[in-house]
Structures are given as structure tokens and as C-alpha cells.
Amino acid sequence: MRRPLMKYGTSLLGLGCIVMLYLILTERELLPELAHALESANFQNFKILFISIILEAFPFILLGVLFSALLQVFVTDETIRKYTPRHPVAGVLFGGLLGIVFPLCECGMIPVIRRLIRKGMPAYIGIVYLLAGPIVNPIVYTSTFTAFRTAPEMAYARMAIAFGVAVAIGLLLHLFMKSSPLRGEAPPAVSGCSHGHSHVEHHHVPKGIGARAAATLSHASDEFFEMGKYLIFGAFLTAIIQTVIDRAALVSFADQPALAYGFMMVFAYVLSICSTSDAFIASSFGGLFSQGPLLAFLVFGPMIDFKNTLMLLSTFKVKFVLLLIVLCAAFTLIGSTIAEVWL
């Protein structure tokens, strides 16, 4: 019963996304009451925000699904298991630094992580890469360093906190996660050091360049349409929330240090800005918030935001996603608080 419900639910979600895009691009009115409500909330700003989120995220979604498809077609399960460290500490360090070699944005990480886990990478290592990869990479470091030219320590602190949070969560998952977090997976142990008993996808590798290219495009298109509808729906709701936020309320939160951290993490979650550009948004709040809350914004947002929560829920079990959000929030708060003392 659950599977048909999910099937029809995602189909309706995809149809709704197409209708929303059509109405926005053609400026048609679905209902007079809805049009009036949107006009009162500055409909032009909503359209700009919605389209900008889509345009910002889609290239990274394409990169992610293409990379995922290349993994599926050209990289065997044995290769993944061979080069993944068996020791848990080495494994989480490997996952935390993998973004340096494969610098993907959070928008394109989820299909890649799902593919890696299904090919035999232990889930806890994949999650570490999922959390650290969008931040601990040369592109994000450069953008953060550029945005905080007068305070370069912010770039160093962001990399260190993100790496520490991801590694800590990875070690906890290794100790306590006993089954696959992916939806629809059988319950083998995925947190142990042995890779021989993990649930992986076994597939026939196509022969010839033409067959492999066709298979790559097929896998990429399937994952693009699966991930894309959640991105569009998340961007739609994110744009609505951003449109109605009163920016003057920011000052009242900034004046209360006890609330500043939580507010900036929630703000990052709602804004759902790509990790390659969120440092410029954070630097614009430098006159209001101290370095600790700004670091909380810079670390928590790329790990967990509104649009990628929907994509996480489409890939991982609900309980696991909720646990991941709580762990990310707790460790980000601890890390950014400590960093503010040292900076």
C-alpha cells in the first residue's frame, strides 16, 4: 500500500511542479484569490527567488546525476569496495576529504551518495561525504575566502567545523547504525568494516563506447527527473518563505546571543542557498551577527536545507533523515560556539 501511494504521490508532485513553472513563466493566474495573495507578498520577488534557486541548483543537479551515472556504468562494485578504507576511522577521514577530489554541491550529492552506497561503500562513509563534500572542497573554500577577505579565519574555521561535524556524525553512525538507511533496502549491516555483506547493486557493464554512452544518458535522465521534481517543489516553498520574511526582525535576533545561533541555522535552512555562493550572503550580515552565528549559517545550511531535505526523504528513510538533521544541528552549534571563543 505504501509503494503505490509513493508512486502516485511523486507523480502528482511532478505534475504540480510543471504547472507551477508554466504559471510563473506565462504569468497566468490559477485563482484570483491566490494571485491577490501573491501580489500582496510581492509576487515579482517570489518569481525572481524561485527562478534563481532553480537556475542556481539545476547545473549542480545535472553534474551530480551525470557523475552518478558514470559511476554506475564505468565503475564496478569491486572497485568501490577495493579503494574504500576498511578501518572506520580511516573511512570517515576518507569521506570527509573526498570533496577535495570530487567537489560537488549539495544539490548534486544525493544521487551520487545513493549510487556509492548501493555499489558497496559503507553508508556511514557515504554520509560523511554527503555532509562534508559540499563545504570541504577548493571551490567553496575560495568563495568563502573571497567573501571574507578582511577575516580569512572564517574560511579556515568553516572548513574545520564542517570536517569535524561530518567525522563525528560518521563515527556515531558506524557505532550505532545497523541497517541500510536507503529506502526500500534490505537490512544488512552497513556500518561494519567488512564490505562483503553489504547490500549492493550488481549490474552488467555494457560493452563498447556507444552502449556505455547510451547507458550513462539513460541512468542520468532517470535520476535527473527523480531528483528534479523535489528540487522544484522545495524551491517553490523556499521562495514563498523568503518572500514573506521581515528582514527587520533580524536585528532583534542578532541582539540576543542565545537566539542568534539557532536563528542563523534556521535561516540557512530556509534560504537553501548553494554552498558555492552562501558565503557572500553570510558576509552581508557581518555587521549584525558575530562570527559564531555566521559560521553556524555557513556550516549547517550546506549540510541540511529545505530543498535537499525533500531529496533526502526521497532517498533515505524518514527516521534516518530526522536523526541526521538533529545531529547536524547539535554538532554545528557546538563547533561554531567553540570557534567563536577561539577566533
Side-chain angles (χ1 to χ4, degrees):
M1 200 57 197
R2 180 188 181 119
R3 196 171 292 274
L5 182 61
M6 286 294 297
K7 177 182 177 182
Y8 292 118
T10 54
S11 298
L12 290 174
L13 179 58
L15 179 61
C17 292
I18 294 173
V19 172
M20 286 189 295
L21 279 173
Y22 172 76
L23 293 173
I24 289 174
L25 293 175
T26 60
E27 298 187 357
R28 299 289 182 87
E29 293 184 3
L30 182 61
L31 292 172
E33 295 83 1
L34 178 60
H36 178 71
L38 289 174
E39 286 175 6
S40 64
N42 198 336
F43 188 40
Q44 294 300 320
N45 284 342
F46 164 79
K47 290 196 296 183
I48 292 172
L49 287 168
F50 177 73
I51 297 299
S52 65
I53 293 172
I54 295 295
L55 294 179
E56 182 182 59
F58 258 24
F60 297 100
I61 285 282
L62 286 171
L63 180 62
V65 298
L66 180 60
F67 185 56
S68 173
L70 290 172
L71 283 174
Q72 172 68 7
V73 175
F74 290 94
V75 181
T76 64
D77 303 350
E78 291 73 19
T79 301
I80 296 293
R81 291 193 292 271
K82 177 182 178 181
Y83 290 102
T84 301
R86 295 178 179 272
H87 193 279
V89 175
V92 295
L93 295 177
F94 170 79
L97 297 175
L98 198 56
I100 297 176
V101 181
F102 301 112
L104 293 176
C105 173
E106 69 271 16
C107 306
M109 289 290 293
I110 295 173
V112 174
I113 299 305
R114 177 173 60 183
R115 183 68 60 200
L116 288 172
I117 293 175
R118 287 179 172 173
K119 278 182 167 292
M121 176 179 283
Y124 70 93
I125 297 179
I127 298 303
V128 173
Y129 179 36
L130 175 68
L131 299 177
I135 303 174
V136 185
N137 69 65
I139 299 173
V140 173
Y141 171 79
T142 302
S143 67
T144 307
F145 191 89
T146 303
F148 291 93
R149 287 185 295 271
T150 59
E153 65 274 10
M154 290 290 289
Y156 309 140
R158 185 186 193 186
M159 300 298 114
I161 296 171
F163 181 77
V165 169
V167 166
I169 293 175
L171 291 174
L172 285 177
L173 293 179
H174 165 71
L175 293 174
F176 298 106
M177 185 173 61
K178 303 303 179 184
S179 63
S180 173
L182 296 176
R183 281 185 174 274
E185 295 286 299
V190 295
S191 60
C193 298
S194 175
H195 301 286
H197 302 288
S198 298
H199 178 79
V200 298
E201 284 186 347
H202 297 283
H203 64 282
H204 174 70
V205 178
K207 301 294 184 181
I209 297 298
R212 290 191 175 193
T216 300
L217 292 177
S218 176
H219 285 296
S221 63
D222 289 343
E223 294 208 16
F224 175 78
F225 284 108
E226 182 178 352
M227 293 287 112
K229 58 179 176 285
Y230 292 99
L231 172 66
I232 294 173
F233 187 68
F236 175 75
L237 295 182
T238 300
I240 289 179
I241 295 171
Q242 288 191 49
T243 302
V244 301
I245 287 179
D246 183 7
R247 297 302 177 92
L250 294 174
V251 178
S252 62
F253 284 99
D255 290 338
Q256 303 180 53
L259 298 177
Y261 287 90
F263 176 80
M264 288 304 286
M265 284 193 288
V266 172
F267 197 50
Y269 181 88
V270 171
L271 288 179
S272 301
I273 303 171
C274 180
S275 60
T276 58
S277 55
D278 61 353
F280 298 96
I281 303 297
S283 64
S284 67
F285 294 109
L288 291 175
F289 291 91
S290 60
Q291 292 176 318
L294 292 179
L295 285 169
F297 176 93
L298 291 170
V299 173
F300 184 73
M303 291 184 175
I304 302 290
D305 62 29
F306 188 85
K307 67 178 187 296
N308 83 350
T309 296
L310 293 178
M311 291 188 283
L312 284 170
L313 289 171
S314 73
T315 301
F316 298 98
K317 297 172 183 176
V318 175
K319 289 184 179 179
F320 177 79
V321 174
L322 294 177
L323 174 63
L324 194 63
I325 293 173
V326 171
L327 290 175
C328 286
F331 282 111
T332 298
L333 177 61
I334 294 171
S336 56
T337 303
I338 294 174
E340 182 164 22
V341 175
W342 285 94
L343 291 179

